Amino acid sequence: MRVPIGWLAEHVDLPAGTTVEDLDTAFVRLGLEVEEVHRTPETTGPLVVGRVLEIEELTGFKKPIRYCQVEVGEAAPRGIVCGARNFAVGDLVVVALPGAVLPGGFAIAARTTYDHVSDGMICSVRELGIGEDHAGILVLGRDGYEPGTPAAGVLGLDDVVIELNVTPDRGYCLAMRGIAREMGTGLAVDWRDPGAVTPPAWSGEPAWQVEVADADRCDRFSMIALEGLDPTAASPWWMRRRLAQSGIRSISLAVDVTNYVMLELGQPMHAFDRDTVRGPIVVRRATAGERLTTLDGVDRALDPDDVLITDDSGPIGLAGVMGGASTEIGDGTSNVLLEAAHWEPTGIARTVRRHKLPSEAAKRFERGTDPEVTVVALARAAALLGEYGGARVVGAPVDPDTRGPRPVIALDAGRPSRISGVEYPTSQVIESLTAVGASVDADGAMLQVTPPSWRPDLTDPADLVEEVVRLAGYDDIPSVLPSVPPGRGLTERQRRRRSIGRALAEAGYVEAPAYPFVGTAALDALGLPADDVRRQVVVVRNPLSEEEPALRTTLLPGLLATLARNLSRGQRDVAVFEHGSVFPGDRRTPAPVPGVDRRPDDETLAALLGAVPPQPWHVAVALTGNREPRGWWGPGRPVDWADAVQAARVVAATAGVQLTVRAGALAPWHPGRCAELLVGDVVVGHAGELHPRVVAALDLPPRTCAMELDVDALPAAPIPVGPHVSTFPPVLVDLALVVPDDVPAATVESALREGAGELLEALRLFDVYTGAPVPAGSRSLAYALTLRAP
């Protein structure tokens, strides 16, 4: 909402010396955010109102040129050359005299042009810096100003416009009426309500019949007929100026008047060409198959939820949003139907979003308007059309009104104090609520509050508390930081997770967190079978991306996407890791929906917590390229499946547990190069080389490796006990055992530990050999044993 200070000053007695900065501060204190302050570009030198006395058409040039005699309040008129043709003798115009400097440094001087001396310039709106219209010069009308009057005040060049960001619950501030009330209350000065007028007592029968078939969506529909409007009558300059300051384009007198009244009172209106309306007006829902061409020229298919204004020909307006093209005010319109109604806000909001058709009217209707001012708005518009266009009211207005009584809200007068921490006496609470227009009936500390008709947002005691606190000043609310309770440091789980992250970073991996969302395409790329539990996902109702609407059940899609992104940026040796929650969707429990009127009981809270699905904490790594870089010392060593297994061992060692590794098969790993990671008999993860089809689908290099481990499945680490240091010397023994290829090294290691007995201090696999003389299908495993008596 743009608020011209000059317009505001007509309704509010601003204290002398009030600056724009003071008003800015006052708006912010009242909860209205100031977006921007607009100032007109500076104009210096003589700028006056002039009257055109004579026009001489100059011939012999490539384009039409006029030589005008203009009275500017001096003894003799000024001769000015002008190419515009949208003015006539007797019109009042704006004249920049020699010595004036217009916006952009455009200096005016007397000069000879088209064989005549042009002693000044007749200005357009764009040349004055007050608009973008450059089709012709600015015509102020034919009377109202004396020639020679300084034009700065007439044009509002010294007027400042404050642009406000109005929140959805403050729709009444989208009008000067609401802004004036707020500023008068905030500054504690007198203000005048432009809506507090009594409409004229029009006589006669209504000139038009109206039927409201859907009272739930329209509880008041007011309409009045006018005739005798001069189609050629122009909107007065002051009205066009205020519309331009408010960001609305001037169109015609009838349309400008409805827009001006909307800005003044907050009541959107619509003007129909009365001669094109066929039969009675009916307000109803749309039916299947109906269409309407709106004023923007778009033919729209209507929805049964849309509310329409119709006549015998069908729809002539999309209620509360935009009128129809068939009854549009045209250049020859002399008979007008003016409509002002009160529409149900949520229905208007649905219509706007359904048709993608925002409008200034809909912006106000979907926030809630004042149903009390529909006839007041008609009277104001009719008076302006009568004054500037010669229109006359025909008959009495029609005004179907099915509104019920306004709700009464019970409020404990001590509640604002308890919520804000500031003591507000009962008298101050009543005064604040009265200031916003509410009527208050007090019975001790209990107040019965009836909100004003223009505040549909006041529906609960909390809304009234907010108004009391807002008017008293948000700055009065103390800022008290809560005391930090003494804690016991990090939990064991937090320490384990942080330690795992540090250990992987020290092992050469870079942490790369990803968004916790996944789509079907990513699961397909991993080659997961249809019955894989990881395909049972939890879908987000309002996802950030329709391509990734579900919560992840594995860390690999995001981690492998990060790996591919780094490779596409020119990296070749990449090792990344992530640890975070996954969200299995295979176990779901319905959750109760508690009410909002009271705290849920313990049973409901337990049911809510029990319905939260498990969210285990996983850690995963992905690596490709060289694990050991090449250099003068050698060719380097490429990544292989053992590096992924070693990453899992690093995680397990940090967690204080020992992993058992055996051959496994699980997508997306290569079935012959996949290791199953176990703690005892429980599988806690997998590691190895990715399947060739997976790396091809994800555009990754061959032999890319990965590991994923369920950290929450690892048992709690035993309390560490320092090793006993023996004083006896060790016995070092190396053993080489030939075993078939299908015998896991873990099985061999288990047998060695069992056979070595209590004297075994350390056991390490240091070599794997295949080739002669080892038989085909077998391999030699060499172990180093350290034996020592304790």
Side-chain angles (χ1 to χ4, degrees):
M1 176 67 182
R2 296 189 175 203
V3 181
I5 301 304
W7 195 358
L8 178 65
E10 291 185 6
H11 300 292
V12 182
D13 294 336
L14 299 177
T18 301
T19 64
V20 175
E21 290 70 23
D22 295 335
L23 295 177
D24 187 329
T25 302
F27 279 127
V28 173
R29 188 172 62 249
L30 291 167
L32 296 169
E33 181 182 352
V34 176
E35 288 278 349
E36 192 173 352
V37 176
H38 302 274
R39 289 182 169 86
T40 305
E42 184 179 6
T43 299
T44 61
L47 189 70
V48 299
V49 175
R51 185 184 299 279
V52 180
L53 301 179
E54 297 179 13
I55 298 177
E56 177 187 353
E57 300 289 344
L58 303 182
T59 59
F61 301 101
K62 293 183 179 180
K63 61 180 181 179
I65 295 296
R66 291 169 146 190
Y67 184 62
C68 309
Q69 296 296 320
V70 184
E71 181 185 359
V72 293
E74 300 172 341
R78 300 256 183 167
I80 300 175
V81 175
C82 183
R85 309 191 65 80
N86 66 317
F87 63 97
V89 172
D91 284 345
L92 293 173
V93 295
V94 177
V95 180
L97 299 177
V101 179
L102 300 182
F106 186 16
I108 306 299
R111 62 190 182 93
T112 301
T113 180
Y114 296 100
D115 300 331
H116 290 73
V117 176
S118 183
D119 201 12
M121 187 177 79
I122 305 176
C123 302
S124 71
V125 168
R126 183 188 293 179
E127 290 162 344
L128 293 167
I130 57 176
E132 294 299 323
D133 186 8
H134 199 57
I137 58 94
L138 171 59
V139 178
L140 300 177
R142 288 184 166 265
D143 49 34
Y145 308 104
E146 288 296 324
T149 302
V154 175
L155 300 175
L157 298 183
D158 54 352
D159 202 359
V160 177
V161 179
I162 297 179
E163 185 172 355
L164 302 176
N165 180 14
V166 178
T167 55
D169 61 330
R170 307 279 293 280
Y172 65 98
C173 287
L174 291 172
M176 291 305 303
R177 181 192 186 204
I179 295 295
R181 172 181 287 277
E182 289 293 302
M183 190 54 63
T185 303
L187 297 179
V189 295
D190 293 335
W191 68 284
R192 290 160 293 283
D193 185 358
V197 296
T198 301
W202 291 295
S203 60
E205 293 295 325
W208 220 264
Q209 295 181 0
V210 172
E211 176 189 352
V212 178
D214 192 347
D216 292 335
R217 298 283 291 275
C218 178
D219 55 12
R220 189 173 189 184
F221 188 91
S222 306
M223 178 172 278
I224 196 168
L226 296 95
E227 64 181 11
L229 175 67
D230 181 2
T232 64
S235 301
W237 162 247
W238 63 265
M239 184 181 295
R240 285 182 284 151
R241 173 168 59 87
R242 287 182 174 174
L243 290 176
Q245 288 176 319
S246 302
I248 295 179
R249 181 171 59 91
S250 174
I251 298 176
S252 65
L253 177 61
V255 176
D256 290 354
V257 163
T258 59
N259 285 332
Y260 178 79
V261 174
M262 175 185 68
L263 293 173
E264 183 179 60
L265 298 177
Q267 174 62 55
M269 307 174 64
H270 186 68
F272 300 91
D273 185 337
R274 181 179 163 193
D275 295 333
T276 62
V277 178
R278 309 300 179 200
I281 296 292
V282 178
V283 178
R284 60 170 174 82
R285 301 274 185 103
T287 58
E290 281 193 298
R291 306 187 71 88
L292 170 67
T293 301
T294 46
L295 289 176
D296 57 359
V298 177
D299 179 33
R300 303 182 183 276
L302 302 175
D303 186 272
D305 186 54
D306 295 330
V307 177
L308 305 176
I309 301 174
T310 68
D311 64 2
D312 290 345
S313 66
I316 60 173
L318 194 56
V321 180
M322 187 174 286
S326 63
T327 56
E328 180 180 6
I329 297 291
D331 295 338
T333 299
S334 59
N335 298 321
V336 177
L337 277 177
L338 284 180
E339 167 262 315
H342 180 251
W343 308 100
E344 191 268 324
T346 58
I348 298 296
R350 292 195 301 271
T351 299
V352 168
R353 284 147 185 78
R354 184 182 305 117
H355 294 283
K356 298 180 175 61
L357 189 59
S359 65
E360 289 294 328
K363 183 193 300 184
R364 289 159 175 82
F365 280 129
E366 67 183 3
R367 286 164 170 78
T369 58
D370 183 3
E372 292 287 347
V373 299
T374 56
V375 177
V376 173
L378 292 179
R380 175 65 166 147
L384 291 172
L385 291 174
E387 181 178 357
Y388 295 102
R392 302 177 302 277
V393 174
V394 180
V398 59
D399 185 26
D401 187 353
T402 59
R403 289 174 297 154
R406 293 201 297 273
V408 178
I409 305 172
L411 175 68
D412 180 357
R415 185 169 180 175
S417 300
R418 292 194 299 272
I419 290 179
S420 66
V422 179
E423 187 63 32
Y424 301 116
T426 300
S427 59
Q428 184 180 359
V429 173
I430 296 174
E431 181 182 354
S432 298
L433 295 176
T434 304
V436 301
S439 59
V440 182
D441 184 10
D443 182 10
M446 287 303 301
L447 309 179
Q448 300 296 321
V449 183
T450 304
S453 57
W454 59 85
R455 292 299 302 271
D457 58 301
L458 302 182
T459 58
D460 297 295
D463 300 323
L464 302 179
V465 170
E466 180 183 3
E467 291 301 298
V468 173
V469 175
R470 181 176 67 87
L471 292 184
Y474 291 125
D475 293 342
D476 293 343
I477 301 177
S479 298
V480 180
L481 293 176
S483 300
V484 180
R488 292 172 293 179
L490 299 177
T491 64
E492 181 62 33
R493 175 177 293 183
Q494 289 171 327
R495 285 196 295 270
R496 169 183 278 190
R497 292 175 179 177
R498 294 191 182 189
S499 297
I500 289 172
R502 285 195 299 269
L504 287 174
E506 291 168 356
Y509 292 87
V510 177
E511 185 173 4
Y515 284 113
F517 305 110
V518 70
T520 304
L523 300 178
D524 293 340
L526 294 181
L528 304 186
D531 59 348
D532 196 300
V533 69
R534 289 168 293 178
R535 282 191 176 272
Q536 300 183 30
V537 295
V538 177
V539 178
V540 181
R541 286 189 175 181
N542 187 22
L544 294 176
S545 169
E546 294 296 337
E547 297 178 355
E548 296 181 331
L551 293 173
R552 66 189 179 190
T553 55
T554 168
L555 298 180
L556 291 180
L559 198 61
L560 295 176
T562 300
L563 191 70
R565 190 178 307 114
N566 280 271
L567 292 170
S568 69
R569 300 299 191 273
Q571 301 297 318
R572 288 296 173 263
D573 306 326
V574 184
V576 292
F577 82 94
E578 179 181 5
H579 55 142
S581 295
V582 297
F583 310 90
D586 57 327
R587 287 172 287 174
R588 303 188 186 185
T589 303
V593 180
V596 298
D597 55 338
R598 64 180 62 86
R599 179 187 181 277
D601 55 30
D602 293 341
E603 182 179 351
T604 303
L605 286 175
L608 285 171
L609 295 175
V612 177
Q615 301 171 35
W617 191 270
H618 281 204
V619 62
V621 305
L623 61 167
T624 189
N626 282 336
R627 186 64 179 138
E628 296 175 1
R630 65 181 181 177
W632 58 266
W633 52 84
R637 183 179 66 81
V639 163
D640 64 15
W641 62 269
D643 293 303
V645 173
Q646 179 58 27
R649 293 188 187 278
V650 169
V651 172
T654 305
V657 297
Q658 188 172 6
L659 287 179
T660 301
V661 181
R662 71 185 182 193
L666 181 71
W669 285 277
H670 191 298
R673 300 185 181 121
C674 174
E676 209 169 49
L677 311 174
L678 301 92
V679 175
D681 295 329
V682 179
V683 177
V684 296
H686 292 80
E689 184 181 307
L690 295 179
H691 196 287
R693 284 196 296 267
V694 174
V695 296
L698 296 176
D699 198 21
L700 296 172
R703 303 205 177 264
T704 296
C705 298
M707 177 276 293
E708 184 168 12
L709 185 67
D710 185 352
V711 176
D712 285 353
L714 300 179
I719 298 176
V721 178
H724 174 73
V725 180
S726 174
T727 60
F728 298 109
V731 175
L732 304 178
V733 179
D734 291 347
L735 296 179
L737 306 175
V738 178
V739 296
D741 288 341
D742 59 355
V743 176
T747 302
V748 177
E749 180 180 332
S750 176
L752 289 174
R753 289 185 180 278
E754 182 180 354
E758 297 179 355
L759 296 182
L760 181 65
E761 185 177 272
L763 174 65
R764 179 174 60 88
L765 174 66
F766 69 87
D767 187 40
V768 178
Y769 175 75
T770 57
V774 176
S778 299
R779 67 193 191 281
S780 173
L781 305 178
Y783 291 88
L785 289 75
T786 301
L787 304 171
R788 192 198 312 255

